[in-house]
Amino acid sequence: FELLFHSRDSVKMAAGQQWVLVEMVQAFYEAPAYHLILEGILILWIIRLLFSKTYKLQERSDLTEKEKEELIEEWQPEPLVPLVSKDHPSLNYDVVTGPPSHRIIVNGKECINFASFNFLGLLDSERVKLKALSSLKKYGVGTCGPRGFYGTFDVHLELEERLAKFMRTEEAIIYSYGFATIASAIPAYSKRGDIVFVDEAACFSIQKGLQASRSFVKYFKHNDMEDLERLLKEQEIEDQKNPRKARVIRRFIVVEGLYINTADICPLPELVKLKYKYKVRIFLEESMSFGVLGEHGRGVTEHFGVNIDDIDLISANMENALASIGGFCCGRSFVIDHQRLSGQGYCFSASLPPMLASAAIEALNIMEEDPGIFRVLQDKCKHMHKALQGTPGLKTVGEPLTPALHLQLENSTGSRTNDLKLLRAIVDYSLDRQIALTLARYLDKEERFLPPPSIRVVVTVEQTQEEMEKAAQCIREAAVKILK
């Protein structure tokens, strides 16, 4: 019986194969001519690819040992890095001795400090120093571990709670390095395929965050809301062409509250309108505006009276107004908690030293106890801005409320190197007369839009009106003498 069944199955299989063959032949005769021609071309093309060489073999030439040695001697390797002149400004430092507070010792000379971002004068505050010293004795110097690996101290949690309360947001997260704050926050949310609309004047830390995100970046002209809306409209049209793709693309606007490279304040109310009109998210970098703008120093949102919940993420460093180290982000809890899992600077860097966290907490105490300090700073910024107007050969760049103004050449020499030399000569002239200024420094080959050379003039609450007048007069004298 088994033999009978096997023979019957074999007959059925053979009959089935014959029927398939008949169907293939029939389909071949019924197919249209163009279909057969196309298949024939494809078959010939495949045969050609299989049997043709993809490259031509070079004729081999055997060199003698002498010829090999001569070639090796002639070969000159390219330098690992380009040669840099010993006179490059980045290789010649102005050395500071002692704290960079109101009075600063630079290269052995005591000067009035118009260079450090110590806006509220808290760097040399006795209260802040005592708090940091007490914390140093209790916790030691460093942490030797990221936040997720025994690097979370009680003062970190306290500082995060205090920052969230001060900014009137649900939650805050702190980083141990100010530059890494926004550079870590952007790629935590924006990924490959997402779209980020960025101001051309965005600072270098924002640029690094954009590079790390690998998102598609569209730059709009500095503080030009018409140009931004043009880009948003173009993207809206693109989204309508492919709704399925548009549904998975996230869109962000990244701006600074107070731009460090231009000393301009962003038009936040207009940005919020565009946010809701085109359904995008806003990331606001407030390192220069936190502790500066607003009645209580809460930044550009308070300055314009914008509801802070309209901003998806706010970041700032603690290295300016708070006179500490590190940075923070604040916003809604579900937004901030995502950084605890995805913020590279938070997850992989050693946490902020407890003494610096304690110093920042005490600085916040001072800011909350004396909100009048912000009005004092803003008034002095206006005074300095007015005093610098009309400086021969120099133009003042920035808004009156800006604590870090730029002085640029009215007429460039046509060479960035020569422009920097002229401005450096003004800085040196002022330094000899006990006025400490600094050049704005950039990585020339790395900046997306390289700002013009400038002298940066920083205003703090500790400077008196007489000292500001003296600095402005010194700059005028230097400009007259050097920019002939």
Side-chain angles (χ1 to χ4, degrees), residues 350-361:
S351 60
L352 185 69
M355 65 174 178
L356 295 174
S358 299
I361 292 171

Side-chain angles (χ1 to χ4, degrees), residues 375-388:
R375 172 58 62 185
V376 172
L377 176 62
Q378 291 162 14
D379 289 342
K380 291 190 175 185
C381 289
K382 293 176 185 177
H383 183 84
M384 194 65 185
H385 185 273
K386 184 178 180 180
L388 290 172

Side-chain angles (χ1 to χ4, degrees), residues 214-279:
R214 299 177 296 175
S215 301
F216 185 56
V217 181
K218 294 186 177 183
Y219 287 94
F220 59 91
K221 296 176 183 177
H222 177 51
N223 271 355
D224 190 335
M225 295 300 97
E226 291 183 2
D227 191 46
L228 172 58
E229 186 164 17
R230 176 185 63 82
L231 294 174
L232 291 168
K233 283 181 178 177
E234 290 177 358
Q235 185 58 44
E236 188 177 53
I237 294 171
E238 288 295 320
D239 292 343
Q240 290 171 356
K241 294 178 181 177
N242 192 345
R244 181 177 295 179
K245 180 181 178 182
R247 281 196 294 269
V248 298
I249 294 177
R250 287 167 292 193
R251 300 159 196 80
F252 303 88
I253 296 175
V254 180
V255 293
E256 291 179 66
L258 178 55
Y259 288 87
I260 188 172
N261 291 340
T262 65
D264 293 325
I265 299 173
C266 77
L268 190 60
E270 289 84 353
L271 285 164
V272 172
K273 290 178 183 177
L274 293 176
K275 167 192 171 172
Y276 288 111
K277 183 177 180 180
Y278 294 96
K279 297 178 177 59

